[in-house]
Structures are given as structure tokens and as C-alpha cells.
């Protein structure tokens, strides 16, 4: 009995000590400003001037229908949702996307896209409707010809709604019908946004000076956050409320797809962008002022772009495994270990000098993962 | 340093207001305090001043810079080069700025874009037929 009593007392002391470790704010005043820069969330929603369907409720409804329709593929077996599955944060959980063949890159999550500057792992599009057109017409993906697009959108399932928005599809050029479908899909995808997260609650508490509320944020996540904004240098590239700077970097992930073939990344993406008729500078943009066209006009093609890929947002990152442009890292822990042990010899010789092996302890790795998990929330549309 | 002659000052001021929308009358080379002086390590004949818009240079948004180059002998550079780098990270901007001029030593660089927080160095190169001069200014952007 006495032994049981002592054991119970010991357990109570241990639990008490563990709880004392929580409800503690370990972020210093000088670090708070950096933390605040990762919000507020959500960001204001602005309509896309290049897409006259942006924010239009009827367009969003038709765009949703098209997103889930297998009629948008040559084999009638594939829809956008085949790879961008709602239950998997609008990705597919596979290492590389499975189109008509295994594609070179991981399926990106279609969330919070309205805030992007570039689209696709290589930034081959400067707007969402242009990016939405690519898989529809690509031979290795949905493989639809322009002429087939007109036939599909004239189908009774879509015809009335489409004609109400654009006029009769029969009187519209095939290519314009394809662009219009891209704009409908974009209007729908713009609505896929994440809600406020555990991190946002913490950040907002700090912003309002409510330290007691902020202290409820798990202390292991706070430790991970301090690595993120401190010696990890993660916030150099994963900046701001979206946790991405939206640009392109070499993360030390090999860009060989298979022996003798490489993924050129941003270098190839800029070539595709400059050749595309669907940019913000082109005739299909609905914005007469061509706002945003400065990007495609002034983007620099540099040798150092070779093998760099767009920095993904870390919002909902815990739900979008596997990771990196080729899906080569299966878990958040593997990603953190990758940066902890990075081989700088694998980085671009004339590239930027930012990444160094972090040499994190096991506890630090777990803390960083704990922080990243607090960036998740449900996706609403 | 002697200032440019009065005729040039008046002409430059008018042109500056019309072309570059400078809010108050700016006499060439007599600039309000909000303009920043760029540094040069060389034996230079000119001074270079810069005004960012917005004044607090933003991270992750495009912005512009107005540049004025002054020389005692009023000679206008044939052309200029303007860029920004992060020396510690060994990279520059991902976009080429679009530079326009009123051909009176006043320039406007648009489409400037800084994608990473930290120390940036803006570098200006001014080319005259017989001399090239270099100017820099360092900014911490957060």
C-alpha cells in the first residue's frame, strides 16, 4: 500500500512537471516581430482582373462541376479531382502524379492559390486559368484537343450555364472555349482556402498582447518556431502569411528524373512561360490594364534557375505528403532531416549560398515537425 | 559641388514633375531629405540620390525607385545599370528592372522586387564616354 502511495505521488509529480512545461511563452520580445510577419490570416480575397469569372458565383458553380467531371479527358476516366483529391488536401498522396504516364513531378495541393504569383513547380504560368488549361490539353494528362473542348462544353450538362456566362459555345472559337474553361476552373479553385490554424491563434494572441493566451501554444511548437525563424533560416524562403516567398530555389533535391534526363525546373518553366499565349500580357487576359504583366516581361532567365523549383506554401503541409518537387521525401520528419544533413556539394555551383547543414538534434527535429503541424486547418470552398 | 545652371534646374524640375510625378518642386541636385544619398568608393565626379516608392521598401511586392545623378559639369550619363543583390546569399533579384529616363540625369526604375528578407545592396552604374562610376546603397528589408 505504501509503495502504491509513493508510486502515485511520483506519477502526480511527473505529470505536474510536464504540465508546468506547457502554458509557457518562450518567444522573446525581439522574436515576436518575426512571428507576426507570418500573418494575419486569412489574407484579403481580391478578384483576379485577368479572369472576368473570378468571384462570380455561377462561374464558381460551373467550375466546380467541371473540376469533378471526367468528360474533360480524352479517355473519359480522368477529372481534375482524380489527382487533386479533396480528401487529400487536393493532392493525391503519390510520389509523382499518375497521368496517362507517371509524370515527373509531385501533384501540388490546390489550396490558397489565389495568392500565388507563379503557378506550377517551375512557374510556367503567371495566372491560375493558364495553369488550369495545361493538364487538360497535355498529351500525358487529360489529353483533350481544342475541338473536343467545344463539344464537351456544349453538352447538355454544361451548355445552359456556360452559354449564360459566355454566350453560345458554338459561336466561340475552340481555343477561346478552352480558355473559358480554364477561367471557370480557376474561379472555383480560388475558393479553396484554409482556415485559421493553431499557429494563427498563437500569432494573433501575440499581436494583441495577450501573452496568457499565447502561452497555450504547445511549447514544443514554440521551440520549433524558434528554429524556423532563427538558425534554421526557413523563413528566408518560407516567408509571410503564406509561408512562401513564391519564388524558386535549389533545395538540394536531385533533378535527375531518370538516367540521362533532367528536370530543368524554373529554367524550363521560363521558356514555357515566354512561349505561352495565355500569360497576363496576352490577348486572353480580361484585364485591359495588363496589371501583373510586368512579371512575364521582366522575369530574368539565369543559369542559376536550372533545377530550382517553386517554394511551396507550408499551410496544411502536414496533410500534403510526400514532399519536394519529385515527392522524394515521404514525411515531414524526412524533410527536416534532409535540411539537417544537407550535402552542399549537391547545390547549384553558381547558385545562392543560403542552405547549410543544420545538424539538428533529435529533439529539435521533432520540435520543428511539431511546429509545422500547427499550420494545418480544414479546407473550405 | 557647384549646382547646375538655373536654366537646367528649372527645365529639369518641370520635366521631373511631369514625367515622374515628383510631388513637390525638386530642383535638380537640391533634394528633400527623404532622398537617400548613394555611396561611392571611387574618386567620383558625380553624386547619386535615390527615392524609393514606397519609401519603406516592401518585401514580396513590386516597387519603384527614382534616381538622380548630378555632376558639376552637367554631363548626362549615356546609360545606367541598376540592380540589387543580397551579398551574403550570393544572389540578386529575379526580375530585370524597367528603366526610363528624361535624359536629364533623372531615371525611374520600375518592377523592382525583393523576394527575401535581409540585407540588400542596390548598385548603380553610370556610364559616361570617358568614365564609369559606381554607387551603392544598403538596405535591411524585413
Amino acid at each position: 500500500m505504501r509503495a502504491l502511495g509513493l508510486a502515485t505521488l511520483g506519477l502526480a509529480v511527473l505529470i505536474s512537471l510536464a504540465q508546468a512545461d506547457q502554458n509557457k511563452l518562450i518567444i522573446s520580445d525581439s522574436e515576436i516581430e518575426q512571428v507576426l510577419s507570418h500573418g494575419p490570416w486569412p489574407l484579403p480575397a481580391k478578384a483576379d482582373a485577368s479572369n472576368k469569372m473570378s468571384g462570380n458565383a455561377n462561374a464558381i458553380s460551373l467550375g466546380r462541376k467541371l473540376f469533378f467531371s471526367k468528360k474533360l479527358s480524352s479517355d473519359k476516366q480522368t477529372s481534375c479531382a482524380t489527382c487533386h483529391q479533396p480528401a487529400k488536401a487536393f493532392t493525391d498522396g503519390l510520389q509523382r502524379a499518375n497521368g496517362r504516364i507517371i509524370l515527373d513531378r509531385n501533384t501540388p495541393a490546390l489550396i490558397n492559390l489565389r495568392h500565388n504569383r507563379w503557378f506550377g513547380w517551375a512557374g510556367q504560368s503567371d495566372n491560375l486559368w493558364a495553369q488550369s488549361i495545361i493538364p487538360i490539353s497535355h498529351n500525358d494528362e487529360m489529353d483533350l484537343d481544342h475541338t473536343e473542348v467545344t463539344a464537351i462544353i456544349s453538352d447538355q450538362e454544361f451548355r445552359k450555364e456556360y452559354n449564360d456566362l459566355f454566350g453560345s459555345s458554338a459561336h466561340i472559337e475552340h481555343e477561346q472555349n478552352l480558355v473559358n474553361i480554364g477561367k471557370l476552373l480557376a474561379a472555383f479553385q480560388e475558393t479553396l482556402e484554409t482556415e485559421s490554424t493553431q499557429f494563427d491563434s498563437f500569432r494573433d494572441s501575440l499581436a494583441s498582447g495577450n501573452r496568457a493566451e499565447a502561452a497555450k501554444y504547445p511549447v514544443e511548437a514554440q521551440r520549433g518556431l524558434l528554429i524556423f525563424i532563427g538558425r534554421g533560416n526557413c523563413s528566408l524562403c518560407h516567408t509571410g502569411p503564406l509561408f512562401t516567398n513564391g519564388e524558386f530555389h535549389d533545395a538540394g533535391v536531385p533533378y535527375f528524373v531518370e538516367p540521362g534526363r533532367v528536370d530543368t525546373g524554373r529554367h524550363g518553366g521560363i521558356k514555357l512561360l515566354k512561349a505561352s499565349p495565355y500569360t497576363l500580357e496576352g490577348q486572353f487576359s480580361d484585364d485591359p490594364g495588363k496589371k501583373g504583366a510586368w512579371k512575364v516581361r521582366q522575369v530574368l532567365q539565369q543559369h542559376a534557375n536550372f533545377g530550382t523549383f517553386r517554394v511551396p506554401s507550408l499551410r496544411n503541409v502536414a496533410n500534403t505528403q510526400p514532399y519536394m518537387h519529385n515527392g522524394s521525401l515521404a514525411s515531414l520528419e524526412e524533410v527536416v532531416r534532409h535540411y539537417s544533413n544537407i550535402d552542399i556539394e549537391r547545390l547549384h555551383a553558381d547558385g545562392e549560398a543560403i542552405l547549410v547543414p543544420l545538424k539538428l538534434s533529435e529533439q529539435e527535429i521533432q520540435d520543428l515537425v511539431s511546429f509545422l503541424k500547427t499550420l494545418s486547418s480544414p479546407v473550405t470552398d | 559641388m557647384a549646382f547646375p545652371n538655373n536654366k537646367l534646374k528649372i527645365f529639369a524640375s518641370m520635366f521631373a514633375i511631369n514625367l515622374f510625378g515628383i510631388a513637390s518642386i525638386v530642383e535638380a541636385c537640391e533634394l528633400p531629405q527623404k532622398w537617400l544619398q548613394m555611396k561611392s568608393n571611387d574618386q567620383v565626379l558625380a553624386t547619386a540620390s535615390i527615392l524609393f516608392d514606397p519609401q519603406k521598401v516592401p518585401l514580396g511586392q513590386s516597387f519603384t525607385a527614382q534616381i538622380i545623378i548630378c555632376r558639376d559639369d552637367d554631363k548626362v550619363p549615356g546609360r545606367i545599370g541598376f540592380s540589387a543583390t543580397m551579398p551574403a546569399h550570393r544572389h540578386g533579384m529575379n526580375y530585370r528592372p524597367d528603366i526610363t529616363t528624361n535624359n536629364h540625369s533623372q531615371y525611374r526604375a520600375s518592377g523592382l522586387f525583393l523576394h527575401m528578407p535581409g540585407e540588400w545592396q542596390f548598385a548603380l552604374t553610370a556610364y559616361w564616354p570617358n568614365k564609369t562610376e559606381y554607387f551603392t546603397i544598403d538596405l535591411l528589408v524585413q
Side-chain angles (χ1 to χ4, degrees), chain B:
Chain B
M1 186 188 88
F3 293 119
N5 63 54
N6 283 336
K7 202 170 173 182
L8 177 61
K9 272 199 288 190
I10 293 165
F11 185 84
S13 304
M14 289 169 60
F15 216 110
I17 292 166
N18 288 332
L19 190 61
F20 295 118
I22 298 175
S24 57
I25 293 177
V26 174
E27 296 195 5
C29 307
E30 290 180 14
L31 299 167
Q33 272 191 328
K34 58 184 180 175
W35 286 74
L36 303 172
Q37 193 84 11
M38 297 186 79
K39 290 188 300 188
S40 176
N41 293 330
D42 294 339
Q43 297 252 334
V44 295
L45 299 178
T47 62
S49 304
I50 189 166
L51 179 66
F52 293 107
D53 181 18
Q55 268 188 268
K56 184 171 185 232
V57 170
L59 180 65
Q61 293 173 50
S62 70
F63 61 98
T64 62
Q66 293 182 66
I67 299 160
I68 291 181
I69 298 171
C70 295
R71 233 170 85 146
D72 288 355
D73 57 8
D74 298 338
K75 284 190 177 158
V76 175
R79 63 183 175 92
I80 67 164
F82 186 68
S83 64
T85 61
M86 288 191 97
H89 295 169
R90 223 173 59 195
H91 69 82
M93 295 188 294
N94 292 334
Y95 305 86
R96 169 190 48 77
D98 183 40
I99 298 174
T100 54
T101 180
N102 67 355
N103 293 319
H104 291 279
S105 295
Q106 294 174 32
Y107 305 85
R108 181 188 181 93
S110 60
L112 298 166
F113 190 96
L114 306 181
H115 59 281
M116 200 175 278
E119 285 277 349
W120 284 84
Q121 183 173 83
F122 291 86
L124 169 69
T125 308
Y127 300 90
W128 285 270
N130 299 319
K131 201 170 196 297
T132 301
E133 295 189 355
Y134 308 94
F135 306 87
T136 60
I137 187 164
D138 296 336
L139 279 184
L140 177 63
V141 178
Q142 289 173 322

Side-chain angles (χ1 to χ4, degrees), chain A residues 298-316:
Chain A
Q298 295 172 228
V299 69
L300 273 173
Q301 180 67 295
Q302 306 170 86
H303 184 253
N305 286 339
F306 200 95
T308 61
F309 297 90
R310 188 171 53 81
V311 177
S313 167
L314 296 181
R315 288 198 171 263
N316 267 33

Side-chain angles (χ1 to χ4, degrees), chain A residues 210-228:
Chain A
N210 190 341
R211 297 176 75 92
E213 191 62 30
K216 293 178 182 173
Y217 188 58
V219 76
E220 58 273 19
Q222 291 185 52
R223 290 195 301 259
L225 172 57
L226 286 176
I227 296 170
F228 189 88

